Structure formats: structure tokens, C-alpha cells
Amino acid sequence: MKVLVTGANGFLGRNLCAQLDNIRQGKARHALLSSDLEVFRFDVDTDPDLLERYAKEADFVFHLAGVNRPKEESEFMRVNRDLTRRLLDLLKKGNSRAPVMISSSIQAALDNPYGLSKRAGEQLLFDYAEQTGSGVLVYRFPNLFGKWSRPNYNSAVATFCHHIAADQPIQVNDPAVVLTLAYVDDVVEELLRALAGCPTKDGDYCTVPVTHRVTLGEIVRLIRSFKESRQTKEVPDLSDPFTAKLYATYLSFLPADRFSYPLKMNTDPRGSFTEIIRTADRGQFSVNISKPGITKGNHWHHTKNEKFLVVSGTGVIRFRPVGSDEITEYFVSGEEMQVVDIPPGYTHSIENLGTGDMVTVMWCSECFDPDRPDTYFLPVQPEPPKEPQQ
């Protein structure tokens, strides 16, 4: 199947073409599409003469080219209406019956210059369907967000993510304003269904079935919390679909020289302990480094539980039930990784048996709370009785 994508270098076009390439190259599977794809990319810097050949050969057309923030108001009609007319004329000239999808906007219901130009493009498509009998798919997209969007152009989300990630000020006129948003990956998935002949229809129009309604103030609060998470070590609530999508979008706007951030290492002669991640409902992750011959732990918990994974070095994890003298040992090594559960009610310790540092990744079911630590000192191996002095 030959697929023409206009606006291929734009926000939506780039995401769509990337996934079409993944399917074509066998890097991604799609339940409704085969890898037998050829993608024709057309954008502002493409040789204009190629559009005629692409239109003649294409089996499906994604018409995504358009402008929403031009330098001059006349560009709205020149691109959003007139380019659409040219494309449809070329399809007629080539006797094409390829289905045509057009990227419109919810603004097409308004009488502003942008909305009028989008509505004009829609009408051209509906007229084309009547004249030729070809299938047309008109999508009135809400605000789109996701990776590769342009700040100060595609959406307020892109602008806020870019500015907050770069320590630049933002302006929010009314935090109570509610936005309807669609995530670019959800949009691409819908367009792939359309390509396979299974678009989501809503009367004369097509729609993206997954959208989110969020206030401007909540969007800004979340983005700022993402930035602060490097200091708090907290991970956002990724069980919430919108939060997960917004967090991915924010990370895509990090400046390339700010991908990494330091952690606080708590060190002493025994080694170090460094907290990595805290979560509200999934506990915390840390890394523990023990020097040779060092034993750490020797405590137990009522409810708190842990998982230990030695990733470098060799050691032994010892357990003793509180109130019992029976000791159980697990010998661990980075050469043969295994996760060891640390149940409540067992005093436990971990000893480095090697000649170099032992590195252990630790998960704890609760973030440490100094007011309620649920940690009680008790040696796993009782000290031998001291001999009486003469």
C-alpha cells in the first residue's frame, strides 16, 4: 500500500510517519496493517512537482499540511484551503479513488480566520466525495500534545513544557479554563485504524476516541510537579493515563544537557546508601554499597517489606524470626542475580563476603518516614557471651 502524507515534517505528520516506518520495517506490529507500506512524504520543502506523482500513485492520503499561527492572516486560506484544493485537483487528474483524510480542527465550528479556513478545507473534501465517489475522512481534532510538538505554535501544553523545563516564565491568564486534549500517540493509533478502513465515525466526521478534559491550572500544576520530582525523587502517578502522557511529553522537552541529575549519597566508613525514586503507593528504590567485610541491617519491621537484588559483588543475607534462634542464609552474587524478599517479622542483615564493594538495589514497600520508621534494631546473630573477668 502506498501512503501519501502531506505535512510530513509537522508535529502530527512526523509522529505518524515514524510509526508507519516502524510498521514497514517490522519494528512494530499492527493488528490491522501489514508491513507492505510505502510512504510518500510531502512538506513545504519538498519539490512541488512531486505532489502530482504522489497523488496519482497513492492508495491512501493523509492530508495533514496546514498552518495555525501564520505571519500573515492570508496564509490561513492559502494553505488550509488552497493547498487542499490543489491536492484534490491532482487526485482527480490522476483518476485516483484513494480515500482522503484531512486534519481539521474543533475551531472549524468558529468564525475566526483559522476556523473559517479549516471549514473551507472540509467543504472541499465533502464536495470532492460527492463529485468522485471517493471516501473522505474529516477529523476535527481538539488540542494535540506529545513529543515533537512546537512551543508557541502547536499547543499551550508544548509551550508550558518547554518553558518550565528550560526555567523560563509562563503566563496563565485563567487557570480555570478547561481544555480538551488528545495525545499524539492516541491520534496516530486512530489514523492507523483509518488507514486500515476502520475509522471512528461520529456522523459526518471522524473522531479520536480517547481525549482528556483538564483545566489549564491542573496542567501547569502537574508540569511543575514533574520538574520538582528531581528534588523530591517522587514519580508521578502513572496509573492516571493523562498524567502518564503529560509526563512523557514534559520529558521530551528537557534540554539535552539536562537529562541527568545528581542524587544525594549518604556515606560512612561502611559504604553508602542512595535513594533513587519515591512513589506515593509503590514504595521507594535505593542503591546500597557495602565495603568488604561490612554487615548492614540487623533490624526488623512490623509491616514494611523489602526486596534486595545484589548486582555486583558477593554476600550473604541472613534472616532470623523474631523470638526464634533459627537463622536462614541466602548467598547472593552479581554473577547470578536473584531477588530476595525481606518479609516482616524477620530480623535481617546483609554482609559483604567479597574483596570489593558489593552493590545492592533495594526496594522498600514504604517511603521512609522518620516519624513512623517501623524499623527495630535486633542482631540476627546474637553476640557470644563474654567470658567473666578474672
Side-chain angles (χ1 to χ4, degrees):
M1 178 185 289
K2 296 180 180 180
V3 181
L4 168 59
V5 181
T6 72
N9 295 332
F11 168 39
L12 180 53
R14 185 179 174 190
N15 278 274
L16 174 62
C17 287
Q19 192 63 358
L20 288 171
D21 283 344
N22 287 335
I23 296 172
R24 180 176 59 83
Q25 296 166 10
K27 298 176 182 177
R29 293 183 179 181
H30 194 278
L32 302 175
L33 294 170
S34 73
S35 60
D36 183 22
L37 295 172
E38 183 177 356
V39 182
F40 300 141
R41 293 168 169 81
F42 186 85
D43 211 288
V44 65
D45 55 356
T46 308
D47 182 351
D49 294 337
L50 286 175
L51 187 58
E52 182 173 354
R53 179 172 72 84
Y54 292 163
K56 183 177 180 179
E57 296 183 17
D59 300 305
F60 193 100
V61 178
F62 289 109
H63 183 38
L64 309 181
V67 295
N68 58 8
R69 293 180 186 269
K71 294 180 180 179
E72 298 181 4
E73 192 173 295
S74 60
E75 286 188 58
F76 280 126
M77 285 297 183
R78 184 177 63 81
V79 177
N80 296 339
R81 180 193 63 190
D82 297 346
L83 179 59
T84 302
R85 179 183 288 118
R86 180 180 173 228
L87 172 64
L88 297 177
D89 287 345
L90 291 175
L91 289 169
K92 291 177 186 177
K93 182 179 178 180
N95 294 315
S96 173
R97 290 296 179 267
V100 184
M101 169 271 169
I102 190 170
S103 170
S104 188
S105 166
I106 54 176
Q107 296 257 346
L110 305 178
D111 289 333
N112 57 46
Y114 175 63
L116 289 170
S117 68
K118 282 296 190 180
R119 194 156 71 240
E122 293 178 359
Q123 191 57 51
L124 287 171
L125 222 66
F126 288 133
D127 292 343
Y128 173 78
E130 286 190 9
Q131 296 163 7
T132 66
S134 298
V136 297
L137 305 171
V138 178
Y139 283 86
R140 284 188 170 179
F141 291 132
N143 297 281
L144 306 186
F145 72 105
K147 67 184 182 302
W148 303 334
S149 51
R150 289 169 54 189
N152 304 311
Y153 186 83
N154 287 127
S155 72
V157 172
T159 303
F160 292 153
C161 285
H162 174 269
H163 284 38
I164 291 174
D167 297 324
Q168 296 177 5
I170 63 171
Q171 180 177 343
V172 181
N173 295 324
D174 184 358
V177 168
V178 176
L179 297 181
T180 300
L181 301 168
Y183 184 54
V184 70
D185 286 6
D186 294 327
V187 177
V188 167
E189 182 59 31
E190 168 60 23
L191 295 186
L192 294 179
R193 286 194 294 268
L195 178 60
C198 303
T200 304
K201 299 282 288 185
D202 184 10
D204 292 334
Y205 296 89
C206 298
T207 186
V208 179
V210 181
T211 59
H212 307 273
R213 286 178 56 80
V214 193
T215 65
L216 210 55
E218 177 64 6
I219 292 169
V220 171
R221 185 195 69 79
L222 282 170
I223 296 172
R224 284 179 170 152
S225 75
F226 301 157
K227 182 178 179 66
E228 294 165 359
S229 67
R230 289 187 163 191
Q231 281 70 50
T232 64
K233 304 180 188 69
E234 295 178 358
V235 171
D237 179 10
L238 302 182
S239 66
D240 175 66
F242 176 72
T243 301
K245 295 167 186 177
L246 187 62
Y247 184 53
T249 302
Y250 169 77
L251 290 178
S252 74
F253 279 94
L254 286 175
D257 60 353
R258 298 190 187 183
F259 289 171
S260 68
Y261 56 98
L263 295 173
K264 180 185 177 183
M265 295 181 65
N266 301 289
T267 61
D268 60 29
R270 302 176 304 158
S272 67
F273 181 83
T274 305
E275 189 178 350
I276 303 172
I277 289 174
R278 298 172 67 92
T279 66
D281 61 346
R282 294 293 186 271
Q284 69 180 47
F285 289 86
S286 309
V287 60
N288 181 77
I289 298 178
S290 300
K291 296 296 182 182
I294 292 297
T295 298
K296 292 186 177 182
N298 282 316
H299 58 239
W300 65 280
H301 315 290
H302 276 297
T303 301
K304 184 186 298 184
N305 53 90
E306 300 165 293
K307 294 180 184 288
F308 289 179
L309 171 63
V310 171
V311 297
S312 179
T314 57
V316 59
I317 301 174
R318 296 186 175 95
F319 298 88
R320 180 170 64 84
V322 174
S324 169
D325 295 330
E326 183 178 348
I327 295 176
T328 301
E329 295 181 327
Y330 283 84
F331 290 89
V332 289
S333 168
E335 297 297 319
E336 188 176 348
M337 293 190 191
Q338 57 179 317
V339 174
V340 179
D341 274 314
I342 312 297
Y346 284 80
T347 185
H348 52 275
S349 64
I350 181 167
E351 180 183 357
N352 184 350
L353 300 179
T355 57
D357 288 352
M358 181 176 66
V359 181
T360 307
V361 175
M362 296 180 170
W363 170 82
C364 183
S365 62
E366 301 174 5
C367 295
F368 179 72
D369 181 352
D371 295 327
R372 299 180 67 241
D374 189 15
T375 300
Y376 307 93
F377 175 75
L378 182 64
V380 176
Q381 296 175 302
E383 295 182 5
K386 295 182 180 179
E387 295 183 5
Q389 294 182 349
Q390 298 295 329

